[in-house]
Amino acid sequence: MDIARALLTNPLDDLLGYQLRRASAALMGELARELDRIGLKATEASVLILIDANPGITQSEIGRALNIKRANMAPLAAMLDLRGFISRQKADGRSQGLIVTTVGADHCRRAQEAMRRHDIRIRDALPKGLAAKLQSALPALWQMSSEQEPAA
Amino acid sequence: MDIARALLTNPLDDLLGYQLRRASAALMGELARELDRIGLKATEASVLILIDANPGITQSEIGRALNIKRANMAPLAAMLDLRGFISRQKADGRSQGLIVTTVGADHCRRAQEAMRRHDIRIRDALPKGLAAKLQSALPALWQMSSEQEPAA
DNA sequence: TATTGTTATACTCTATAACTATA
DNA sequence: TATAGTTATAGAGTATAACAATA
């Protein structure tokens, strides 16, 4: 029965899109396990890092930068606020600027370290020079498909 | 306010893992839209293609090949069966061999065409030679992280 | 009119636990 | 004991629609 696994014909293996998906899913799972030790989900960590780098940023701006819908940003920001990682201050009457608290900054730092370690592992698993080429080529892929919201 | 978007500092942009995730998500979304016109979800299409290439394959074998848990394969196979795309025949008493029906074969062919077109678009969006390098390098990424189920 | 934040809701994918029946 | 299939359930991410308040 184990033999059957090796004899399998998988047409998907020839597809670059499929390989990208598998690689991305596996790497995300691995990073998620690392971030879990800090008590953060991948999305929460990303948002936290973006706020830390851009104090006063609004939820809508974060959503546009990370491709997260406004509707999904609301509970995300509420949770980070509830846990004391960020604070929200009225900036506009309808919008609010987000900043990272002292407690949040500590989590942010550890999340960034985990991500950096993770990224080094990725680069080390690739043939020399490929990481740099990928870094400059990948944005074309997710901008090729109109990933951005059409209007919503 | 639009200016603020351009002035954003995004530390994640420097991370290869994040770029891979964004690219993969965008490409998957695009492929999903194509497959939707055939009436298939990405997962359904993948399973259908694998069965078509390996007549008599079992659900567990599919799960191991595509990294889908047995528990999630059950409703998936049931749906493909219900829609008349595959048939299931007892092979073992506890396992059942899956084969693609005539109707299923037609959907499978169209799904494969869509995926192939999609993959060509991906390759065309990359610098010359990068696609081939990626094709051989990516498997190392999703095998580096112990993506496989530990025992389940 | 357009934008911000919010709520409610639904769907997909994924994950675990537990059960049965077979091997 | 281990494996195949199944069910139930939960969590995460993402999607749309609709609303109030503000610009």
Side-chain angles (χ1 to χ4, degrees), chain B residues 21-94:
Chain B
R21 177 165 143 64
R22 278 298 279 274
S24 171
L27 294 173
M28 273 302 296
E30 190 181 57
L31 178 59
R33 280 191 296 276
E34 289 299 318
L35 291 174
D36 188 58
R37 300 167 52 191
I38 314 175
L40 287 174
K41 286 173 272 187
T43 318
E44 290 170 340
S46 304
V47 169
L48 204 52
I49 289 172
L50 194 64
I51 299 172
D52 184 66
N54 301 274
I57 192 174
T58 68
Q59 291 179 195
S60 291
E61 286 169 345
I62 295 172
R64 281 189 290 266
L66 302 183
N67 207 40
I68 300 173
K69 298 252 182 300
R70 279 194 339 272
N72 297 326
M73 273 304 305
L76 231 166
M79 178 60 77
L80 290 175
D81 192 351
L82 185 73
R83 295 174 68 188
F85 293 167
I86 65 171
S87 72
R88 303 190 264 186
Q89 301 164 354
K90 275 231 175 301
D92 185 65
R94 66 177 171 184

Side-chain angles (χ1 to χ4, degrees), chain A residues 41-43 69-72 92-94:
Chain A
K41 286 174 273 186
T43 317
K69 297 250 180 304
R70 279 195 337 273
N72 297 325
D92 185 66
R94 65 177 170 182

Side-chain angles (χ1 to χ4, degrees), chain A residues 52-70:
Chain A
D52 183 67
N54 301 274
I57 192 173
T58 67
Q59 293 180 193
S60 290
E61 286 169 344
I62 295 171
R64 281 189 289 266
L66 301 183
N67 207 40
I68 299 173
K69 297 250 180 304
R70 279 195 337 273

